[in-house]
Amino acid sequence: MKGLAGKTALVTGAGSGIGRASALRFAEEGANVVVADIDVDGGRETVELIEDAGGDAVFVEVDVSDTASVERMVEATVETYGRLDFAHNNAGILTDFVETTGISEANWDRIVDINLKGVWTCMKAELQVMERQGSGAIVNTASEAGLVGMGGLSSYSASKHGVVGLTKSVALEYAERDIRVNAIAPGPTKTNIQSGIVGDSGGSSILGRIRTVVQMAKMALWSLRAEFDTSAMQDVPMDRIADPEEMAGAVAFLCSTDASYITGVTIPVDGGQAAD
Ligand code: NAD
């Protein structure tokens, strides 16, 4: 991938899943990597994996829903490597399936604070460094749920639609300043996201609870399929779940000079779901 070697990449949510794969890919391409996560053990493990492969990485603990913590993360990046060329704003959480009337205000706020406000807060700090440098590329992690509605996941879907709109708007603001801003919209991917689910399953009507149980059963099936990679997912045209490395490839491309004329887009990396 052109233009990544010797540069500095910051990845949030890099202690696991898509963020870890992205951090490893940046390192493989010769970039220095700041591995940022609220999960200290996961983050340190990612750094070890990068170092074992001969790469250069540091861990920074961050809570993307906390502005001061995000500012410290970006400061630490510049203190360590002197610059910030690429940022993958990826940290996120998922809710359980529950109809809208069953969502508590606390969980709505939590989803939006981490998945949407967190991306804005990260970009706010990152863009100031990139503007001083006169260059940079940002990739935000949205979701298939940021492109189409998903019944039972309205807070998650709203937060991810927000990421898509934020990405377009910031891209327009910085287009003339050699800072590109794009997003990926992953389809179902083999990660641990379901283990960190927050939600309100108990708060729905009876019909809502039945739907929740059905959806949770579907998700359990998905994760089983993910674990054993037996595919047969009817709603993914490619008939399989993605590996996190397939997301990392799109992130690396969007940061590379091969994508030098691409800004403001959200690329579905979803086995054809968005075309269906
Ligand atoms: P994951 O749970 O494996 O990774 C998410 C990481 O984010 C974890 O390491 C977690 O500790 C970290 N994190 C959570 N809250 C944080 C916070 N407040 N501050 C800092 N770090 C925090 O899940 P993943 O699937 O790799 O998720 C990565 C992104 O991909 C998320 O934004 C998710 O919404 C998105 N996504 C995932 C899928 C999928 O099927 N796995 C599909 C579409 C979109």
Side-chain angles (χ1 to χ4, degrees), residues 12-13 64 89-94 111 114-116 141 156 160 193 196:
T12 69
V64 296
N89 299 315
N90 164 80
I93 56 170
L94 182 65
I111 286 288
I114 294 174
N115 289 5
L116 177 56
T141 298
Y156 180 78
K160 294 299 188 177
I193 196 155

Side-chain angles (χ1 to χ4, degrees), residues 12-20 36-40 42-43 61-66 69-70 88-94 110 113-115 119 140-145 156 159-160 184-196 222 241-242 244 247:
T12 69
S16 157
I18 294 170
R20 173 175 284 175
D37 206 296
I38 200 166
D39 171 5
V40 175
E61 185 177 352
V62 70
D63 177 353
V64 296
S65 66
D66 174 349
S69 170
V70 167
H88 180 194
N89 299 315
N90 164 80
I93 56 170
L94 182 65
R110 185 153 178 235
D113 273 358
I114 294 174
N115 289 5
V119 171
N140 299 319
T141 298
S143 168
E144 195 58 28
Y156 180 78
S159 72
K160 294 299 188 177
I184 58 165
T189 309
K190 293 172 204 171
T191 71
N192 294 325
I193 196 155
Q194 288 172 52
S195 61
W222 277 20
I241 292 177
M247 304 302 141

Side-chain angles (χ1 to χ4, degrees), residues 59-111:
F59 171 67
V60 177
E61 185 177 352
V62 70
D63 177 353
V64 296
S65 66
D66 174 349
T67 304
S69 170
V70 167
E71 287 169 355
R72 280 196 300 275
M73 168 186 76
V74 173
E75 276 163 25
T77 302
V78 176
E79 271 165 29
T80 309
Y81 292 119
R83 50 187 297 120
L84 171 59
D85 300 290
F86 313 123
H88 180 194
N89 299 315
N90 164 80
I93 56 170
L94 182 65
T95 50
D96 55 355
F97 283 86
V98 60
E99 61 182 13
T100 297
T101 52
I103 300 174
S104 66
E105 193 172 342
N107 270 334
W108 175 275
D109 288 347
R110 185 153 178 235
I111 286 288

